[in-house]
Amino acid sequence: MKNTEAILVVPGTMEIKDAPVPVPKDDEIMLKVEYVGICGSDVHGFESGPFIPPKDPNQKIGLGHECAGTVVQVGSKVTKFKPGDRVNIEPGVPCGKCKYCLEGHYNICPDVDFMATQPNYRGALTNYLCHPENFTYKLPENMSTMEGALVEPAAVGMHAAMEGGARLGKKIVILGAGCIGLMTLQGCKSLGATDIVVVDVMPKRLEMAKELGASAVINGMEEDTISRCKELVGELGADIVFETAGSQITAKQAPQIVARGGRIMIVGTIPGEVPIDFLKINREVTIQTVFRYANNYPMTIDAIASGKFDVKSMVTHVYDYQDVQKAFEESVHCKKDIIKGVIKIEDAE
């Protein structure tokens, strides 16, 4: 058994290096990684380094946190899994002791150990990794490990939809049709919503939104987003507006689109300050940020396995592990063509 890991040597350069084979603790499983999704945060890390730079300049930086594979070994106290089980992992391990964890909001635990970021910066782009049993999930027989790797971004969309109150009868606008926007679309649909308008500037993404069930799409480069949204959802505006693009432009548009008493859900990571015209939302509009997910993996796995949530169709590019540098370079430079890229991890030679 041999292990390797893809390391961010400097921004813009990934290298695959030999690594020790990890040994699972008593409460951990050891996973043979098969697929890793490329997240927008990974792409940012590749371009500019981690969102939160490590204190130690010599800290080894791994990328990737969306992964699935097969259990090859279990710790002495593990009871839910055995070698050969196909699983995925929830990449954030909270402390389990703070007020947020005890209240069930472990996604905002200040001491969470989340893969590819602080405190350990360990990435999923490796042959083998260890992970706690409590944050590992068995995949149904009809679900591939590639689909299992995409449960993580799907859970982001599901969590956003649930927090926003998506359901039948709600008029919804989603600003941004990247991976998370499309996952949010599917999360809303799985909760019963049918009147969903999706806005983006890339035709390929808008085509995918239509395939995945958007009732209408708007190309923000060709149409006036605000007036066109009002035409589609009604002059009063949308009950829920999801900002998933992580853009100041779309964040400024959201208050122009939301209805009185509606909700603006900030799902994207928006850089810098965004001025808000409170006169546009001073009729009991709620603005809420969304951070990752909490307690959403089981329902998201069920939604994918049942066919309510289609993650497989979103995969436009599959890269070999040895081509990890190419995978990230294309993720940076070919955004108009890539909806979701994944990396297939082969055995170490």
Side-chain angles (χ1 to χ4, degrees), residues 283-329:
R283 298 295 186 272
E284 301 199 351
V285 168
T286 299
I287 301 177
Q288 180 178 341
T289 61
V290 180
F291 190 62
R292 295 175 183 156
Y293 37 75
N295 305 303
N296 296 109
Y297 258 54
M299 68 181 70
T300 306
I301 291 171
D302 287 346
I304 294 170
S306 68
K308 293 181 179 179
F309 213 119
D310 179 6
V311 295
K312 195 171 184 179
S313 293
M314 292 175 54
V315 177
T316 53
H317 292 67
V318 179
Y319 298 94
D320 290 335
Y321 182 37
Q322 297 299 321
D323 294 328
V324 62
Q325 177 71 21
K326 175 184 176 183
F328 278 99
E329 287 179 351

Side-chain angles (χ1 to χ4, degrees), residues 43-258:
V43 177
H44 176 276
F46 173 77
E47 286 188 279
S48 308
F51 278 113
I52 305 174
K55 296 178 181 178
D56 180 359
N58 298 314
Q59 170 73 53
K60 184 168 59 176
I61 304 294
L63 296 179
H65 57 266
E66 306 171 0
C67 72
T70 302
V71 175
V72 293
Q73 189 176 337
V74 299
S76 61
K77 295 182 180 179
V78 172
T79 60
K80 299 177 185 176
F81 303 101
K82 64 183 185 304
D85 285 345
R86 297 161 54 258
V87 300
N88 68 359
I89 65 170
E90 189 169 341
V93 181
C95 74
K97 300 175 182 179
C98 69
K99 72 181 292 289
Y100 305 107
C101 287
L102 296 177
E103 290 172 354
H105 304 296
Y106 65 83
N107 56 320
I108 54 175
C109 169
D111 294 318
V112 64
D113 181 0
F114 198 90
M115 295 184 72
T117 185
Q118 63 176 349
N120 296 316
Y121 297 88
R122 66 184 185 106
L125 288 167
T126 182
N127 300 102
Y128 299 96
L129 62 82
C130 293
H131 204 70
E133 174 186 34
N134 286 346
F135 289 90
T136 302
Y137 302 85
K138 191 171 182 178
L139 299 178
E141 289 298 324
N142 67 333
M143 192 168 165
S144 68
T145 48
M146 185 174 74
E147 291 173 303
L150 300 185
V151 168
E152 200 275 346
V156 174
M158 183 70 82
H159 182 64
M162 294 184 68
E163 289 291 300
R167 61 179 184 271
L168 185 64
K170 292 291 185 181
K171 295 181 178 181
I172 296 170
V173 171
I174 299 175
L175 300 172
C179 176
I180 296 303
L182 295 173
M183 294 297 191
T184 302
L185 162 64
Q186 296 200 73
C188 291
K189 283 187 62 65
S190 70
L191 297 176
T194 58
D195 192 354
I196 308 171
V197 177
V198 177
V199 182
D200 204 278
V201 297
M202 298 185 186
K204 188 168 184 176
R205 293 180 177 184
L206 293 174
E207 284 298 319
M208 180 59 66
K210 286 193 285 188
E211 289 179 24
L212 295 174
S215 54
V217 298
I218 298 170
N219 188 322
M221 291 291 286
E222 300 175 356
E223 302 178 83
D224 182 278
T225 296
I226 296 168
S227 60
R228 183 65 177 135
C229 281
K230 294 290 184 73
E231 288 177 18
L232 292 168
V233 301
E235 192 58 35
L236 293 179
D239 299 306
I240 315 167
V241 178
F242 293 93
E243 195 294 317
T244 70
S247 162
Q248 291 190 2
I249 295 172
T250 48
K252 291 176 183 178
Q253 290 172 338
Q256 315 289 323
I257 298 168
V258 71

